[in-house]
Amino acid sequence: MKCSTCQAKAAIEIRRHNAAFCGPCFLAHLERQVQRTIESEKMLAAGERVLVAVSGGKDSLCLWEVLRRLGYETTGLHLDLGIGDYSPEGRKKTEAYAEAHDLPLQVIEVKEETGFSIPELAGRTRRPPCSGCGLSKRYLMNRAALEGGFPVLATGHNLDDVAATLLGNVLHWQVEQLTRMTPVRPASHPRLVKTVKPLIRITEREAVAYCLLRGTDYHEDECPNAAGATLLLYKDIVNQIEAVSPGSKQAFYQEFGKRVRPHLAASETVTLRECEACGQATTGEVCAYCRMMERARQVTVRRGRVTRTVLEVPPA
Amino acid sequence: MKVLIRRPRREVELPGRRRVRDVLKELQINPETVIVVRGETLLTSDDVVGEEERIEVIPAISGGAR
């Protein structure tokens, strides 16, 4: 197979584009795709400081490397989730990348910040680990961006992520979530930072190829909590369709954005206010994160035959 | 040939020379979800792997809370 651009031996085939690329042409192709996404969706303005959420996995390190090469002023943000042997490895890869490229990096230890690691949070709230983890990440990343004075937060969500999420939301007709499925979430409240997903036209397979060809060392292991996660099932289904009908994955997400989302956005009437506990933006009196943390701090005390729930002293 | 599959980590031996696409088909691996490498070289589906060679199948799909 030959490179569609220069006719050298191809390193990767991208069937949905009916193209194949050698290493150098693929790297240029992927960076061009990301730049086009950033420009067409008005994600980043020239000279804007960007906070990049980096787990140490292939997607976030691919994103950081591409933004760095495209000349954006980036700072990394890593959340140490406190998950067994998994979290230290991701942190190590993130810190190594930042050091190698002399880039600023902020690390937040979730346990130190909130009093609980993600597994402890899951056990105490009896929520699925991925649910509490996702909510904590969104909250802590937004807060870090606000406190650091960053106008925009970039995440490594890719085409596989958004297509699988879309499938899940359509299967359950989660209209509210569908309305929020945008490549850019604007700062619709003074306590919300604009968030962008520059990799939405890049598949996970392409992010792996990019890291391998650039020599970017990423954390390859899967989070132990992700085993059996519904999102993985949806990704598997979407990729089974993609294997038989190349281009379906991208068309599914892109056409949703063009044909369906504009109608949903027109009906969106959400009023945001400040959470009474923490001051972050929320639709109710107390935000979902504060409600979850309050539940986590409640402990059940049994004395004889009497059981009661008390609130532990919040962590400093 | 020897095929190292990284997740879950295991090594499989297959007889004869084969194209990458045939190796993945035999192992029931969706080519949309992996990258195949020989050493540090990325392979495309039509590349042929020799009987004495060793390739690795690198998983691409991940994620729980995104």
Side-chain angles (χ1 to χ4, degrees), chain A residues 122 125-133:
Chain A
T125 58
R126 296 182 185 180
R127 290 170 73 122
C130 296
S131 160
C133 185

Side-chain angles (χ1 to χ4, degrees), chain A residues 86-103:
Chain A
Y86 173 76
S87 290
E89 191 63 16
R91 180 171 174 169
K92 203 168 88 183
K93 302 283 184 191
T94 306
E95 288 175 336
Y97 178 86
E99 198 180 330
H101 298 283
D102 198 21
L103 292 166

Side-chain angles (χ1 to χ4, degrees), chain A residues 179-188 193-197 268:
Chain A
T179 310
R180 288 193 213 124
M181 284 199 69
T182 51
V184 177
R185 291 294 294 162
S188 53
V193 168
K194 174 181 169 183
T195 59
V196 299
K197 300 182 179 87
E268 189 183 22

Side-chain angles (χ1 to χ4, degrees), chain A residues 89-148:
Chain A
E89 191 63 16
R91 180 171 174 169
K92 203 168 88 183
K93 302 283 184 191
T94 306
E95 288 175 336
Y97 178 86
E99 198 180 330
H101 298 283
D102 198 21
L103 292 166
L105 171 68
Q106 182 186 353
V107 176
I108 295 176
E109 291 186 12
V110 171
K111 169 126 186 170
E112 194 178 287
E113 194 70 25
T114 67
F116 309 110
S117 67
I118 292 300
E120 286 167 351
L121 194 62
R124 280 177 164 256
T125 58
R126 296 182 185 180
R127 290 170 73 122
C130 296
S131 160
C133 185
L135 180 57
S136 301
K137 280 181 189 170
R138 287 190 294 276
Y139 180 90
L140 294 171
M141 290 191 298
N142 181 71
R143 199 176 72 184
L146 276 175
E147 288 173 356

